[in-house]
Structures are given as C-alpha cells and as structure tokens.
Amino acid sequence: MFRAATVSALAVLLLFLCGIVISLLTYTNWGSLFSAISSLEIRFAIGLSLATATVSTIISMIIAIPVAYAISKNEFFGKSLADTLLDLPIVISPIAIGAALLIFFSTPLGSAINNNFINFVFSVPGIILAQFTVTSALAIRLLKSTFDSIDIRYEQVGRTLGCNKPQAFFRIILPLARDGLIAGGILTWSRAIGEYGASVTLAGAMAMKTETLPIAISLSLLNADIEKAIAIIFILVIIAVISLLILRKITRKSYRL
C-alpha cells in the first residue's frame, strides 16, 4: 500500500505537468510560433537573458566559493546568524528584494552610486544586480553542501605535505569540488535565466531595453499576444531541459566516481 501511495503521488504530479505541456502544444499555432521566435524582439530578449544570466552567475560563483567555504569549514562567533542571513534571498519574495534594492538606490549613498558610478535603476546593470542578489544565496547553499561533503582530512594531509592554506584550497579542495561547482553554476545560471520579480521591479519592463525572456512573457500577455508568450515559454522550457540534462550527466558521473 505504501508503494502504491508513493507511485500514485508521482503519477498525479507527472500527469499534471504533462497536462500543462499538452495544453501549450494544442493551443499553439505553429506558424505564428515560429514567426514569433524569429522576431527581433524575442531574439533581443534571448540575447539579453543569456548575457545577463552569464554575468550574474560568474559574479555569484566568484563570491559564493569563498563564502561557502568559510561557512562550511570554519567556526566563528555569529556563524548561525550569518548563515541565516545568507538564506534570506531564497525565502524572501523576489519582488520584495527588487523593491528593497530600488529603495536603497533612493538613499543618498545609493543615489551617489547610481548617478556617479553605475546606473542600476531601469537599466541592464540593474537586471544583473537583481539576478545576482537572488541567485547568490542559492549558489552559496549549493556550494556549502559540496564543501561539507569533502573530508577535512584531505586538506590536513596537504598541509602536512608542505601546502599552505591557499595552496591546499586551490590544489586539493577545488579539484575535489569540481563537479559540485559545475552543477552549482548550472543551477545558478538556470535560476538567473528565469528570474523575473526582482529584475522587473529594479530594472523595469521596457521592450528592447530591459526585456529578458520572463519580462517578455509578461509584456506579451499584457498586449494579449498569446502566441508570442507561448513561444517564449517554449524557449525557456528548452533552456531548462538542456540545463537539467547536463546537470543529470554530471551527477551520474559523480555517483560513478
């Protein structure tokens, strides 16, 4: 009975997801779909999404690697509080994060940064900042799990063989964490591609300027252009499937090792 209950829950969820995909397929006019995909606006949204997600992921990973290692391998006063604060972007609504960023750039310090260094409000750098704010917490959590799984004795052995702390980190810890780093980067990038709430709040929803794929869906629905919205949804689904297939391949390889 337990097996039947668990399999039934799986079947219900799969039927629900399949029903959503089938509804999209049956609703779609394929001629209009391909015409929408080839439009200049959607090609702009694809390029902007790929570019901003890649930049924000690189920044997130550069920050997340040392932060996750520090949280994983060190004990210090206030560690529990710091660990909790790092998780806030995961549990807080992205729209709330975007609003908080927008309010920050209304303060004297934020205005000075926005006016004299980099313009974040209603511009492409704002998309990157919003994506980074949302995805950095996910990257840190994923990489912390990776570093937690690496036995500290590997680093200790390296230290006894003459490595200092940085050498042990770069020569021993990072190679051991390679698959986890790649998987974390893929998931972070995928999350950045789909980020909407914080981006639209901070950078706005301006066609051909701050129009990422999720924002393009919103604009298409507001203009009652259902075919274009469905075309963008299919693009996001394809990107997600490719990312997940790569992730599954890396995961299976890790398990075999």
Side-chain angles (χ1 to χ4, degrees):
M1 290 182 63
F2 177 77
R3 183 175 184 275
T6 55
V7 173
S8 298
L10 173 62
V12 169
L13 181 58
L14 290 176
L15 287 173
F16 172 68
L17 296 175
C18 289
I20 295 175
V21 174
I22 291 171
S23 67
L24 289 174
L25 293 173
T26 55
Y27 190 89
T28 301
N29 182 314
W30 292 101
S32 301
L33 175 66
F34 290 118
S35 176
I37 291 176
S38 62
S39 69
L40 179 62
E41 185 177 350
I42 290 187
R43 284 189 279 124
F44 174 86
I46 293 173
L48 182 61
S49 293
L50 295 177
T52 55
T54 300
V55 173
S56 63
T57 298
I58 291 172
I59 298 172
S60 294
M61 295 298 289
I62 291 174
I63 299 297
I65 289 174
V67 171
Y69 180 80
I71 293 291
S72 174
K73 301 300 183 182
N74 295 283
E75 295 295 333
F76 52 88
F77 177 76
K79 176 180 177 179
S80 178
L81 177 60
D83 204 10
T84 301
L85 291 175
L86 290 173
D87 282 338
L88 284 180
I90 297 177
V91 298
I92 293 179
S93 168
I95 294 179
I97 293 174
L101 290 171
L102 194 60
I103 292 170
F104 168 76
F105 287 112
S106 300
T107 64
L109 174 60
S111 296
I113 295 173
N114 191 65
N115 296 329
N116 300 314
F117 294 96
I118 301 177
N119 181 24
F120 289 101
V121 179
F122 303 129
S123 63
V124 172
I127 298 174
I128 296 173
L129 178 61
Q131 290 175 346
F132 164 77
T133 306
V134 172
T135 61
S136 59
L138 174 64
I140 291 169
R141 190 54 49 202
L142 293 170
L143 297 189
K144 180 180 180 299
S145 299
T146 298
F147 289 132
D148 286 343
S149 66
I150 298 175
D151 196 325
I152 191 64
R153 287 178 293 183
Y154 289 112
E155 184 176 351
Q156 293 172 346
V157 170
R159 297 292 299 277
T160 61
L161 295 176
C163 291
N164 56 32
K165 191 75 171 178
Q167 289 173 335
F169 177 75
F170 286 104
R171 295 181 181 180
I172 299 173
I173 299 300
L174 284 186
L176 290 173
R178 182 193 60 185
D179 290 343
L181 296 176
I182 296 174
I186 292 172
L187 287 175
T188 302
W189 183 84
S190 301
R191 177 65 185 87
I193 283 283
E195 206 294 307
Y196 171 76
S199 298
V200 75
T201 306
L202 180 62
M206 293 173 280
M208 303 294 291
K209 183 178 180 181
T210 61
E211 187 178 12
T212 59
L213 288 171
I215 292 176
I217 293 175
S218 177
L219 292 175
S220 299
L221 292 175
L222 288 175
N223 294 324
D225 193 343
I226 307 301
E227 286 80 10
K228 182 180 288 186
I230 293 175
I232 302 169
I233 292 171
F234 276 122
I235 292 171
L236 285 173
V237 169
I238 291 171
I239 292 174
V241 169
I242 293 174
S243 300
L244 291 173
L245 288 175
I246 296 173
L247 182 63
R248 296 290 185 273
K249 184 175 181 180
I250 294 172
T251 304
R252 285 197 298 268
K253 180 181 177 181
S254 298
Y255 285 149
R256 286 197 299 268
L257 294 176

